[in-house]
Amino acid sequence: MAVDSLSPDWEFDRFDDGSQKIHTEVQVKNYEKFLEEYTAQLQGIEEALDDSVGDVWDFTLDPIALKLLPYEQSSLLELIKTDNKVLNKVITVYAALCCEVKKLKYEAETKFYNGLLYYGEGVSDTSVVEGESQIQMGHFISFLQELSCFVSRCFEVVVNMVHQLAALYNSNKSATKIIESTGVHFQTVYEHLGELLVLLITLDEIMENHATLKDHWKMYKRLLKSVHHNPAKFAIPEEKLKPFEKLLLKLEGQLLDSMIFQACVEQRFDDPGEGVSVSKNSAFAEEFAYNIRTIFANVESKLGEPSEIDQRDKYTGICGLFVLHFHIFRTVDKKIYKSLLDVCKKVPAVTLAANIIWFPDTFLTSKVPAAAKLMDKKSIQSIRSSRDAFLQQKAQTLMKDMQSYYIFVTSWMMKMESILSKEPKPDKLSEDLSNRCNIFVQGVLYAYSISTIIKTTMNMYMSMQRPMTKTSVKALCRLVELLKAVEHTFHRRSLVVADSVSHITQQLQSQALASISTAKKRVISDKKYSEQRLDVLSALVLAENTLNGPSTKERRLIVCLALSVGTQMKTFKDEELLPLQLVLKKLDLISELRERVRVQCDCSFLYWHRTVFPIYLDDLYENAVDASRIHYMFSALRDCVPTMLHAKHMESCDQLLECYDTEIMEILNVHLLDKLCKEIEKDLRLSVHTHLKLDDRNPFKVGMKDLAHFFSLKPIRFFNRFIDIKAYVTHYLDKTFYNLTTVALHDWATYSEMRNLATQRYGLVMTEAHLPSQTLEQGLDVLEIMRNIHVFVSRYLYNLNNQIFIERTSNNKHLNTINICHIANSIRTHGTGIMNTTVNFTYQFLRKKFYIFSQFMYDEHIKSRLIKDIRFFRETKDQTDQKYPFERAEKFNRGIRKLGLTPDGQSYLDQYRQLISQIGKVCLQCDGLCAHDSVRRAALLQQRYQVKHHLLLLHTKII
């Protein structure tokens, strides 16, 4: 059957009921909703990846990190290639030694400094148990062994550098000259040698100032003596103890006696076996002294100036080189020595690492005592007294410095935003790159100046044990914020900075190449060829070839070494050489921009000055207008975390991190969050209770703090948590209002009004309590009464008319009552199973009371008086109409009072009456409860009847 042959009659009637249109509209709306949600998600991702950043700023939150520092993948042998083979070898040797120094410096700064500095941290003084210090030192021994190997390596490198320099500048005429060294000054090599000596000086200073390490070392050695006397007890083979003791003695002599630098400079540098003469080499001695003078002249002119960037570190290296020169050649240049000491008046101290501060005058006088004797004692003493003067002056000018830098940094940030937000014009590209380069350099200079002020001031106060004023602390904390603001600005513009750095380095390299090319043409044009001129030409060619590539630290080092050779024989004119040196300095700075900013803005030293944090938070609370600056402070506090990861005295550094986290959070809670919660609650209460007579709250008279600024802050990232101040205060108020409403339900309206006011005034979105505004009176729970029956009988009285128990006194405005309805409610709540518990507690209590009752009745004083009165009553009952005379009762009462009174003035009879009343109340309470239990009622009524009968007889006897 063919389907196509269906007749039209079989088709259904076609009609449009509108259902298809409705279905289409529903699908379109669903699609629109999907597009809106998807657009919102894309917008969120775009904001997260945007180069702008909000108040919450943390490198760890960035999904992508930019590394601007270029890495060299070619070896030094591949980079240093010219036709002059001898020059190649010389440059290669010095470049390799300088690279080795940089590696040693990096290892010391990241690993060894931090490992030593954090030793003993993370363990509170109260929790130190016996043997804890020895365990820490046991973990630390392997680290000290690594440090010993590191120091030995540094010694070898120092000797090698001295030998290599001495071989080049040889005064022995019989020795073959490597290259013509007249006019060649490898200043870079001496600077690197100074950096290496600074490492050893820093290690000495850390050891010298580390009392905890020395104490633990003594305890550990004492423990080892105990082990030596009884090795079997500790399961240690005796043959291993002696080598271990020798190792400890070696470590102590090499490291812990603070003689690392001294041992280095006192090494034997003369090596007759290799034919290297050092101490008798007059040419080398003169070259050594010349480089010290040259480096010092460059450093001294920059110290204390706005353009200072790393001169203080170089000054420390110059002092180390001066001491090394003295120990090698045993000669003292009194003029340079005096000049080095004069700098101490301008720079009284230098921060070497974290909280380790170094006093150059103390160092020079102790390491070169021969020169110190030549100096006037008064001048040396005046230098030391200048430290106090420096601190006093710094305390007075600190606030002004902070205000000045506040203006400088904020204007610099505006310039950064302005310059980097503009699109560079093709016709003014060179000018735009120069402006960007200058603004980047200016930011690093500001960071260095601010960091120097903070570290020097804080560390000098701590080292000299001088108290710091609150004003100084606040100013220093503001400077810390400015320091992080500089880093913040660079980070926020990371994309533009990364793009600019590559273009700026190319521009600087082209300028340097143009200058070198001019000098090279000048050398080529001179037809008088000599070995010295060929060396100059080869050095210029090497510098050119090296600059034609990425601006890595190895290439820049080779350029500096090559120009040390290439600038002799007046190859460059004076007006050409200074711009070239400036371009190379800028190239160094821009190529290492991100690293320089990180180092200068690093605030890990704040770990050793945590005592300023509470003062900072108090100031922040009092001046809440700029509350957002707390983000910068927490960013500074987070800088301590990477350095803590190198702590080696524990099994894991997590304990140190946890201790630091706990300490900072406790300070934050006490000095800010809890105070903020209390103040907000107080303000809400006073605002709601304005109808009461309160203190004057006129803001024009008593002042006002706008704490609402704290609630506009984004959450603060610290360790693995976000500190949301708004959520913290909201939770506190929710909890407080809920708990207080449950205590007094009739106050629900007041707390509801306070919630609304918190929303209107502070923007706190609070949770509704959903508690009833009132409740039916359920009364006290009988089960609780029976469990505390002694409290019940002492605090409640019985109303015979209404047959209810009433509380005697109360601390609040209400008196609790207990009647038959409350007993019924308790039975409904707990069930009839409480009857057994009630009866047990009742009879246990009655047993105790009846025991006291019987003891009272059997007392001889009471019993004799009662027998006497009973005999009298029986004899006179007919005459007194079987009534006990009132006078006789008064006489009986007075007689009982003569037996003694309690501190509150009650007689034995009064206490007896209370005992009978308590027994009666217990029986009445039990009667009410058992009225709802038909099974036990009969037996209990009989027992109650017997008790009441005895009580009645006793009462009759007493009355």
Side-chain angles (χ1 to χ4, degrees):
M1 178 180 176
V3 179
D4 295 339
S5 62
L6 286 174
S7 65
D9 299 337
W10 284 94
E11 291 186 9
F12 293 104
D13 294 335
R14 295 182 180 273
F15 67 95
D16 186 9
D17 59 356
S19 60
Q20 188 172 1
K21 183 180 179 180
I22 295 172
H23 183 70
T24 304
E25 290 177 354
V26 170
Q27 294 301 323
V28 170
K29 287 182 180 180
N30 289 338
Y31 187 62
E32 288 177 356
K33 185 179 179 181
F34 165 74
L35 284 179
E36 289 175 0
E37 293 177 353
Y38 188 61
T39 304
Q41 290 180 7
L42 290 178
Q43 187 176 0
I45 296 171
E46 185 179 0
E47 289 175 356
L49 297 173
D50 193 15
D51 59 340
S52 64
V53 72
D55 291 330
V56 178
W57 167 71
D58 184 8
F59 290 131
T60 59
L61 295 180
D62 289 344
I64 298 174
L66 284 173
K67 296 289 186 182
L68 307 184
L69 192 65
Y71 289 94
E72 184 61 61
Q73 295 185 351
S74 301
S75 65
L76 292 175
L77 294 175
E78 293 173 340
L79 293 174
I80 304 172
K81 281 187 178 180
T82 64
D83 294 333
N84 192 333
K85 303 297 183 183
V86 177
L87 181 66
N88 290 351
K89 290 182 179 180
V90 173
I91 301 295
T92 302
V93 168
Y94 289 147
L97 287 171
C98 292
C99 289
E100 180 70 16
V101 169
K102 289 295 183 184
K103 290 177 182 177
L104 292 173
K105 183 180 178 182
Y106 176 79
E107 187 176 7
E109 290 176 344
T110 55
K111 180 179 179 181
F112 293 110
Y113 290 176
N114 295 321
L116 290 170
L117 287 168
Y118 283 106
Y119 179 82
E121 296 294 323
V123 181
S124 60
D125 296 335
T126 56
S127 65
V128 174
V129 296
E130 183 66 27
E132 181 66 29
S133 56
Q134 288 90 338
I135 293 173
Q136 290 183 41
M137 183 54 69
H139 291 306
F140 204 63
I141 291 294
S142 60
F143 177 83
L144 290 177
Q145 176 63 27
E146 292 179 26
L147 180 59
S148 174
C149 298
F150 173 81
V151 169
S152 300
R153 177 62 178 166
C154 291
F155 285 11
E156 292 174 6
V157 175
V158 169
V159 171
N160 200 335
M161 292 183 83
V162 171
H163 283 177
Q164 296 294 347
L165 289 168
L168 186 64
Y169 301 94
N170 199 336
S171 58
N172 188 359
K173 295 182 180 179
S174 61
T176 55
K177 282 190 176 182
I178 301 172
I179 61 171
E180 181 57 50
S181 58
T182 307
V184 177
H185 307 291
F186 286 104
Q187 185 177 321
T188 305
V189 181
Y190 287 93
E191 289 177 353
H192 281 77
L193 179 58
E195 289 180 13
L196 188 54
L197 295 176
V198 170
L199 298 186
L200 305 179
I201 294 172
T202 306
L203 290 173
D204 275 340
E205 291 295 322
I206 293 174
M207 294 293 185
E208 182 69 25
N209 293 283
H210 212 315
T212 305
L213 180 62
K214 294 180 179 178
D215 292 342
H216 288 190
W217 182 261
K218 291 177 182 177
M219 295 179 186
Y220 191 77
K221 287 200 301 181
R222 200 176 301 140
L223 173 67
L224 204 62
K225 293 292 183 185
S226 303
V227 174
H228 191 74
H229 289 301
N230 192 1
K233 181 180 178 182
F234 297 92
I236 297 175
E238 191 172 356
E239 61 273 9
K240 290 185 178 181
L241 277 176
K242 287 186 178 180
F244 187 63
E245 286 181 344
K246 288 181 180 179
L247 173 64
L248 294 184
L249 288 173
K250 177 192 171 186
L251 293 177
E252 184 175 8
Q254 185 184 18
L255 304 176
L256 298 178
D257 292 339
S258 303
M259 296 292 288
I260 300 174
F261 174 79
Q262 191 69 26
C264 178
V265 297
E266 289 179 352
Q267 291 182 98
R268 182 178 177 84
F269 290 96
D270 289 314
D271 192 353
E274 295 184 7
V276 180
S277 176
V278 177
S279 60
K280 304 297 182 181
N281 191 339
S282 58
F284 177 48
E286 178 57 34
E287 178 64 19
F288 204 139
Y290 173 82
N291 279 278
I292 291 176
R293 290 194 298 271
T294 306
I295 300 171
F296 178 69
N298 296 333
V299 167
E300 187 184 20
S301 61
K302 295 286 186 180
L303 283 174
E305 298 297 319
S307 58
E308 180 186 352
I309 189 162
D310 58 357
Q311 278 71 25
R312 288 171 196 258
D313 301 329
K314 288 185 178 179
Y315 171 64
T316 310
I318 293 167
C319 293
L321 289 172
F322 181 80
V323 175
L324 177 62
H325 182 276
F326 167 74
H327 279 279
I328 292 175
F329 304 106
R330 292 296 170 180
T331 58
V332 177
D333 188 339
K334 186 177 178 181
K335 185 178 178 181
I336 190 70
Y337 183 78
K338 187 176 182 302
S339 300
L340 288 172
L341 284 176
D342 288 341
V343 172
C344 300
K345 297 176 182 178
K346 186 164 49 174
V347 183
V350 177
T351 299
L352 298 177
N355 64 329
I356 303 301
I357 198 160
W358 176 74
F359 298 106
D361 55 322
T362 306
F363 175 80
L364 289 171
T365 53
S366 63
K367 299 299 181 183
V368 193
K373 292 177 182 178
L374 302 175
M375 295 293 295
D376 186 10
K377 290 184 178 180
K378 290 184 178 179
S379 62
I380 295 177
Q381 290 175 356
S382 66
I383 292 171
R384 292 179 179 175
S385 62
S386 64
R387 297 178 194 168
D388 295 327
F390 176 84
L391 271 186
Q392 291 176 2
Q393 181 187 5
K394 184 58 70 176
Q396 294 172 359
T397 61
L398 202 56
M399 187 59 70
K400 292 181 181 178
D401 292 343
M402 183 273 293
Q403 293 170 352
S404 300
Y405 277 108
Y406 188 84
I407 296 171
F408 294 154
V409 171
T410 49
S411 61
W412 171 81
M413 291 169 68
M414 295 297 292
K415 289 178 183 176
M416 277 280 287
E417 294 293 337
S418 175
I419 290 175
L420 298 183
S421 60
K422 292 179 182 178
E423 289 292 333
K425 297 179 180 179
D427 55 338
K428 294 185 177 180
L429 183 61
S430 177
E431 181 183 353
D432 182 67
L433 289 176
S434 298
N435 291 336
R436 292 190 178 195
C437 176
N438 293 333
I439 201 72
F440 292 163
V441 172
Q442 189 62 59
V444 178
L445 292 176
Y446 282 147
Y448 180 83
S449 301
I450 295 171
S451 176
T452 302
I453 292 173
I454 299 169
K455 291 178 181 177
T456 305
T457 308
M458 282 188 164
N459 290 334
M460 281 190 71
Y461 270 113
M462 188 172 74
S463 176
M464 299 173 67
Q465 297 182 350
R466 302 293 165 82
M468 199 186 307
T469 62
K470 280 191 176 182
T471 307
S472 299
V473 172
K474 293 174 185 177
L476 288 169
C477 289
R478 281 289 181 134
L479 288 173
V480 170
E481 293 169 1
L482 290 178
L483 195 61
K484 301 311 289 186
V486 172
E487 188 177 16
H488 179 183
T489 305
F490 276 109
H491 175 67
R492 186 178 61 210
R493 287 293 182 179
S494 294
L495 295 177
V496 188
V497 169
D499 183 49
S500 302
V501 163
S502 60
H503 291 93
I504 292 170
T505 52
Q506 288 180 10
Q507 185 190 44
L508 293 172
Q509 284 174 320
S510 66
Q511 293 174 3
L513 284 169
S515 180
I516 293 172
S517 178
T518 304
K520 190 175 74 169
K521 289 177 182 177
R522 191 178 294 120
V523 174
I524 294 173
S525 64
D526 191 351
K527 302 300 182 182
K528 296 179 180 179
Y529 286 103
S530 63
E531 288 187 9
Q532 191 174 5
R533 193 170 295 279
L534 287 173
D535 289 342
V536 171
L537 185 59
S538 300
L540 294 177
V541 171
L542 176 61
E544 266 190 335
N545 294 338
T546 311
L547 277 173
N548 282 313
S551 180
T552 61
K553 60 182 181 180
E554 287 83 4
R555 288 175 181 266
R556 286 183 275 110
L557 173 64
I558 293 170
V559 170
C560 288
L561 293 171
L563 289 178
S564 298
V565 179
T567 53
Q568 60 178 319
M569 299 178 64
K570 295 184 179 180
T571 310
F572 291 86
K573 297 179 180 179
D574 292 339
E575 62 270 16
E576 293 175 349
L577 190 58
L578 291 175
L580 176 61
Q581 291 174 346
L582 182 61
V583 166
L584 292 177
K585 286 181 181 178
K586 282 187 178 180
L587 185 62
D588 283 341
L589 196 57
I590 295 299
S591 300
E592 300 174 356
L593 181 65
R594 188 67 174 269
E595 189 65 19
R596 291 287 186 105
V597 171
R598 185 191 65 79
V599 171
Q600 300 304 338
C601 298
D602 180 39
C603 294
S604 57
F605 62 89
L606 282 180
Y607 178 85
W608 314 102
H609 303 283
R610 303 189 297 280
T611 51
V612 305
F613 190 48
I615 301 172
Y616 169 81
L617 291 178
D618 292 338
D619 176 58
L620 184 73
Y621 176 74
E622 294 298 328
N623 304 289
V625 179
D626 49 352
S628 58
R629 58 195 175 100
I630 193 174
H631 284 284
Y632 292 128
M633 181 54 71
F634 268 91
S635 175
L637 293 172
R638 283 197 302 271
D639 287 344
C640 308
V641 176
T643 58
M644 289 183 187
L645 300 177
H646 297 280
K648 300 294 183 183
H649 61 287
M650 303 177 182
E651 291 185 2
S652 173
C653 58
D654 293 338
Q655 183 181 345
L656 178 58
L657 294 171
E658 184 180 351
C659 185
Y660 177 64
D661 181 21
T662 304
E663 181 180 355
I664 295 299
M665 288 309 300
E666 284 179 358
I667 294 173
L668 179 67
N669 289 334
V670 172
H671 291 271
L672 181 63
L673 296 180
D674 292 345
K675 288 167 69 175
L676 192 61
C677 292
K678 295 292 194 316
E679 185 64 27
I680 297 296
E681 183 185 1
K682 177 184 174 183
D683 180 60
L684 294 175
R685 289 188 183 282
L686 294 180
S687 300
V688 170
H689 295 87
T690 49
H691 57 283
L692 301 176
K693 188 177 180 180
L694 304 170
D695 296 335
D696 189 4
R697 301 185 70 228
N698 188 337
F700 294 101
K701 294 180 181 179
V702 298
M704 187 179 102
K705 284 187 294 190
D706 189 4
L707 300 176
H709 292 284
F710 285 107
F711 306 126
S712 60
L713 292 179
K714 295 289 182 66
I716 305 165
R717 174 71 181 269
F718 191 63
F719 279 87
N720 295 324
R721 70 166 65 84
F722 281 99
I723 306 167
D724 192 342
I725 297 178
K726 184 176 181 180
Y728 186 92
V729 177
T730 303
H731 174 71
Y732 169 82
L733 294 177
D734 274 333
K735 184 172 110 177
T736 304
F737 292 172
Y738 183 90
N739 291 339
L740 294 177
T741 306
T742 57
V743 173
L745 289 173
H746 54 272
D747 288 337
W748 69 272
T750 304
Y751 289 113
S752 179
E753 188 177 351
M754 290 168 68
R755 284 192 188 89
N756 295 333
L757 187 62
T759 304
Q760 295 170 10
R761 184 172 295 181
Y762 299 108
L764 303 177
V765 181
M766 302 185 65
T767 307
E768 187 60 41
H770 296 295
L771 288 171
S773 59
Q774 57 187 357
T775 182
L776 296 174
E777 177 58 44
Q778 296 294 325
L780 296 177
D781 192 350
V782 172
L783 194 60
E784 288 300 319
I785 291 173
M786 288 302 156
R787 286 175 178 167
N788 301 282
I789 196 166
H790 58 287
V791 178
F792 167 73
V793 297
S794 62
R795 292 184 57 183
Y796 282 81
L797 301 174
Y798 187 67
N799 187 332
L800 286 171
N801 295 324
N802 297 326
Q803 295 188 349
I804 60 173
F805 289 95
I806 302 175
E807 195 174 8
R808 185 193 301 270
T809 57
S810 176
N811 294 327
N812 51 41
K813 300 177 182 179
H814 306 281
L815 291 175
N816 290 319
T817 63
I818 303 172
N819 58 22
I820 196 70
C821 296
H822 299 138
I823 296 172
N825 289 335
S826 297
I827 294 175
R828 291 192 195 99
T829 303
H830 301 290
T832 57
I834 66 171
M835 303 298 291
N836 292 327
T837 304
T838 304
V839 172
N840 290 338
F841 275 104
T842 301
Y843 281 104
Q844 288 175 15
F845 180 77
L846 286 176
R847 187 177 63 178
K848 294 178 182 177
K849 293 300 178 182
F850 273 116
Y851 177 76
I852 299 171
F853 170 84
S854 61
Q855 291 293 319
F856 180 80
M857 295 297 293
Y858 280 104
D859 185 83
E860 292 297 333
H861 297 87
I862 304 298
K863 185 176 180 181
S864 61
R865 289 177 182 273
L866 287 175
I867 293 172
K868 183 179 177 182
D869 281 351
I870 289 173
R871 188 184 301 115
F872 170 79
F873 178 74
R874 288 175 179 170
E875 292 175 355
T876 61
K877 61 182 179 180
D878 296 332
Q879 292 85 359
T880 57
D881 195 17
Q882 294 191 352
K883 292 180 180 177
Y884 190 74
F886 183 79
E887 294 80 6
R888 190 81 180 185
E890 280 287 325
K891 183 180 177 182
F892 178 80
N893 198 7
R894 286 194 298 270
I896 295 297
R897 291 182 69 85
K898 289 179 183 179
L899 296 177
L901 299 175
T902 61
D904 55 351
Q906 290 185 340
S907 66
Y908 288 111
L909 192 59
D910 295 331
Q911 295 182 60
Y912 187 64
R913 288 197 190 97
Q914 291 180 5
L915 178 67
I916 298 300
S917 299
Q918 290 176 2
I919 294 173
K921 279 186 278 187
V922 172
C923 293
L924 289 170
Q925 176 70 20
C926 194
D927 182 23
L929 183 66
C930 292
H932 294 270
D933 189 358
S934 58
V935 178
R936 293 181 178 83
R937 188 176 181 186
L940 193 63
L941 282 175
Q942 184 179 359
Q943 292 170 355
R944 281 182 59 249
Y945 174 76
Q946 293 174 358
V947 172
K948 282 186 176 181
H949 179 68
H950 289 300
L951 287 175
L952 184 59
L953 292 177
L954 290 169
H955 193 64
T956 304
K957 289 180 181 180
I958 293 172
I959 297 302

